[in-house]
Amino acid sequence: QVQLVESEGGLVQAGGSLRLSCAAAGQTFSTYAMGWFRQAPGKEREFVAAISYNGAVTYYADAVKGRFTISRDNAKNTVYLQMNSLKPEDTAVYYCAADGWHYRSSVPVTSSDYRSWGQGTQVTVSS
């Protein structure tokens, strides 16, 4: 498994921006697709975005498409989630996750495809 540590989230006003990062320990980071999920109070964890192991393919949930951007720097073992035009409904605990398979050609979008998870970081968007 890969150990993942997310950056601190924060409190931001609606319309604002925030960038999350997730640092991975280990030498195999560049072989895994990475994803971001979120869980709001009283709701199930939901998919946000994913990126292939080489960064060539990305996929977004409809709710964040056009506002969020996932990227990765394999040299730094880090994946990022740039969140723009934030809305109160984006308030949640955000988790990064590493795929359970090496060199997957597609990007997984279900939580069961991911084997390693970060501890989560709170993002709160005020109206």
Side-chain angles (χ1 to χ4, degrees), residues 12 33 39 60 81 87 93:
V12 63
Q39 187 167 19
Y60 298 90
L81 186 67
K87 305 175 180 179
V93 177

Side-chain angles (χ1 to χ4, degrees), residues 6-103:
E6 292 115 345
S7 61
E8 188 173 342
L11 172 64
V12 63
Q13 288 188 333
S17 297
L18 193 64
R19 188 176 83 157
L20 302 180
S21 62
C22 173
Q27 298 179 338
T28 58
F29 174 79
S30 63
T31 70
Y32 293 113
M34 297 293 296
W36 285 95
F37 289 75
R38 66 185 182 186
Q39 187 167 19
K43 295 187 177 181
E44 293 186 353
R45 189 173 298 187
E46 65 175 1
F47 169 78
V48 175
I51 188 167
S52 61
Y53 69 94
N54 58 1
V57 180
T58 57
Y59 191 78
Y60 298 90
D62 288 343
V64 306
K65 199 173 297 182
R67 300 188 298 120
F68 290 12
T69 302
I70 188 171
S71 61
R72 66 190 298 160
D73 185 339
N74 285 347
K76 295 182 178 180
N77 279 14
T78 301
V79 62
Y80 304 95
L81 186 67
Q82 177 68 44
M83 304 183 292
N84 298 329
S85 302
L86 282 161
K87 305 175 180 179
E89 51 264 44
D90 294 319
T91 295
V93 177
Y94 283 73
Y95 299 88
C96 68
D99 191 3
W101 295 93
H102 297 279
Y103 300 114

